[in-house]
Amino acid sequence: MHTLAPTDMPEVSTSHLVKMAIAGLEPMYDRRNNLFCHRLKRSSSGMVMEGVSYRYTIMTLLGLLRARSARLEIFIDIEATIGRLLKETTWVDNLGDLGILLWLCSTSEEHQRRFYTSFKLGKALEQYPDARRRMTMELSWFLTGLSQANVTGMSAEVEGLAEKTYRLICGNQGDSGLFGHMSRWNSSAGIVRGNIGSFADQVYPTVALAHFSRSFGVAEAYDRAFRCAEMICKLQGPLGQWWWHYEANAGRVVECYPVYSVHQHGMGPMALLALGGASQGRFESHIRQGLNWVNGHNELQLDLEDRTTNVIWRCIRPEGSKSYADYIHGFLGRSTANKPLNVSFECRPYELGWLLYALTERPTVSNLF
């Protein structure tokens, strides 16, 4: 076991984190391509921006839109960047990216109209490989997009597709309330991996089912989302860690590390707050614990927020790279991770984007605490 950090660590300031995230995203924006980078990485010569990512750009814009709605000053023209995403759309080659792009475009009727000009949704669940394999995360992004699009009523296809997508996601939920990574019956990979879900495979369906429940009035969807939220909270680590892999049927952690900062400050709060006001008191302590992990109440007793660069370092992880055998053992519930831990000194823009999406939601987290 790793030595526990002191229990008197100061409470993290959510307003400070929000301001820091906006400042940290500016050097991650590639103004030549009008897209956010893949990652910002610490090197011997300073911070280096690597690549560009359409997916990370979408996620980051969702956070920036929410920050702008909270009347915070934003450094880029969000509408122009969305226009860049829609100008040429051959990069959309999977259901997940289609879903989060619809989620983003549903924030504006103009962008939604442009989306429907470029994409026909009717065959999406058969068209893309990730849809045919019934991938939980990607189906969840698609369902969230459909649920948000339903608000405007601009497409007659949305309701039927949403219902079908919802049922596919439900098929990946285990007896414990947790979700596996993919359908166990649609591929050979699913036989091995289907019952094991990452933390992302818990967060995104929780968000999607909460949105679906509100948009279409399906109470069962909220109940399923709440069951998953309760289970991840039950399994949360002693320092507030949101662990890495779970067995969906048995309801247990099968692999703890890496522990990602975005899970602590962004995705964990995003999932729990998506369930709405009635649940916020129930999950308040779990959100707070997760946030405090970032600022020193963690295994290494290190503050992962770097105030000189306005980033939060990516994760705490075991030293050395994992072998294929390590992954297989983890998926089978026999984790081999028992190595010294270190920090990954990089940050990806979506991590700060999800922080903004979660921590500027109303009622604000600062009001919660």
Side-chain angles (χ1 to χ4, degrees):
M1 295 294 291
H2 300 283
T3 303
L4 298 186
T7 57
D8 58 351
M9 291 287 179
E11 290 283 327
V12 71
S13 165
T14 57
S15 60
H16 168 68
L17 283 174
V18 166
K19 292 175 183 177
M20 183 220 68
I22 294 172
L25 284 170
E26 188 164 1
M28 296 190 195
Y29 188 65
D30 184 334
R31 295 185 180 277
R32 184 181 62 180
N33 291 297
N34 294 323
L35 295 168
F36 281 93
C37 68
H38 174 70
R39 66 177 176 177
L40 198 65
K41 187 175 182 180
R42 192 172 78 175
S43 71
S44 58
S45 58
M47 300 297 289
V48 178
M49 185 169 63
E50 297 183 354
V52 293
S53 172
Y54 291 94
R55 177 176 292 185
Y56 291 174
T57 297
I58 295 170
M59 294 174 172
T60 305
L61 291 176
L62 283 165
L64 288 170
L65 278 168
R66 192 161 273 188
R68 189 177 69 180
S69 295
R71 299 184 179 180
L72 297 172
E73 186 175 350
I74 304 303
F75 61 90
I76 64 168
D77 184 335
I78 293 176
E79 279 67 32
T81 307
I82 297 175
R84 164 68 176 85
L85 293 169
L86 292 170
K87 183 177 180 180
E88 187 278 314
T89 58
T90 57
W91 58 271
V92 180
D93 59 2
N94 61 86
L95 185 75
D97 286 346
L98 181 72
I100 57 172
L101 182 60
L102 177 58
W103 183 354
L104 176 66
C105 289
S106 295
T107 60
S108 158
E109 289 191 10
E110 177 187 350
H111 293 313
Q112 198 172 343
R113 277 192 292 269
R114 290 189 64 186
F115 176 92
Y116 290 135
T117 300
S118 299
F119 300 101
K120 306 304 178 187
L121 296 180
K123 299 296 183 181
L125 292 175
E126 292 77 37
Q127 177 180 352
Y128 298 107
D130 52 345
R132 293 193 296 270
R133 288 182 289 166
R134 310 304 190 227
M135 306 292 288
T136 298
M137 181 175 74
E138 288 81 355
L139 287 170
S140 298
W141 288 342
F142 189 53
L143 182 60
T144 303
L146 292 169
S147 300
Q148 295 291 84
N150 184 57
V151 174
T152 63
M154 292 176 63
S155 171
E157 297 176 303
V158 164
E159 185 171 359
L161 269 174
E163 173 64 25
K164 187 173 181 180
T165 306
Y166 166 63
R167 291 300 169 193
L168 293 175
I169 294 171
C170 290
N172 292 353
Q173 189 168 27
D175 296 336
S176 70
L178 298 177
F179 291 86
H181 183 62
M182 61 198 301
S183 170
R184 299 186 69 180
W185 317 118
N186 283 59
S187 66
S188 57
I191 296 172
V192 176
R193 183 72 197 273
N195 189 41
I196 305 297
S198 68
F199 188 68
D201 291 321
Q202 316 314 317
V203 167
Y204 293 120
T206 299
V207 171
L209 297 187
H211 281 290
F212 176 75
S213 176
R214 284 194 291 270
S215 185
F216 294 96
V218 181
E220 177 199 63
Y222 182 90
D223 293 339
R224 285 180 175 273
F226 192 84
R227 284 180 61 211
C228 182
E230 282 198 311
M231 183 55 70
I232 61 171
C233 287
K234 179 181 177 181
L235 296 173
Q236 189 177 23
L239 301 178
Q241 302 101 322
W242 298 116
W243 299 122
W244 183 213
H245 280 110
Y246 305 80
E247 186 178 354
N249 282 329
R252 65 190 183 98
V253 176
V254 296
E255 192 167 34
C256 294
Y257 294 96
V259 175
Y260 289 94
S261 294
V262 64
H263 296 171
Q264 306 296 129
H265 63 63
M267 290 166 58
M270 179 170 67
L272 299 178
L273 292 171
L275 293 167
S279 301
Q280 287 170 354
R282 166 69 178 83
F283 299 126
E284 176 184 328
S285 64
H286 298 282
I287 296 172
R288 184 190 295 116
Q289 273 191 295
L291 290 169
N292 284 336
W293 181 93
V294 171
N295 285 91
H297 192 60
N298 55 50
E299 298 87 336
L300 299 177
Q301 301 183 32
L302 292 176
D303 188 348
L304 298 180
E305 180 187 338
D306 188 293
R307 292 167 179 78
T308 62
T309 57
N310 291 310
V311 301
I312 298 174
W313 299 123
R314 181 164 169 76
C315 66
I316 289 179
R317 62 187 181 183
E319 290 183 0
S321 60
K322 295 184 68 173
S323 68
Y324 181 74
D326 288 337
Y327 283 109
I328 293 299
H329 277 88
F331 294 151
L332 295 176
R334 300 192 295 270
S335 179
T336 59
N338 190 25
K339 302 175 183 178
L341 299 173
N342 63 20
V343 176
S344 174
F345 291 105
E346 66 174 80
C347 185
R348 303 190 182 194
Y350 84 94
E351 297 170 356
L352 301 183
W354 281 153
L355 184 156
L356 293 174
Y357 191 87
L359 301 187
T360 56
E361 187 172 20
R362 298 176 183 174
T364 63
V365 174
S366 58
N367 285 341
L368 263 178
F369 300 161

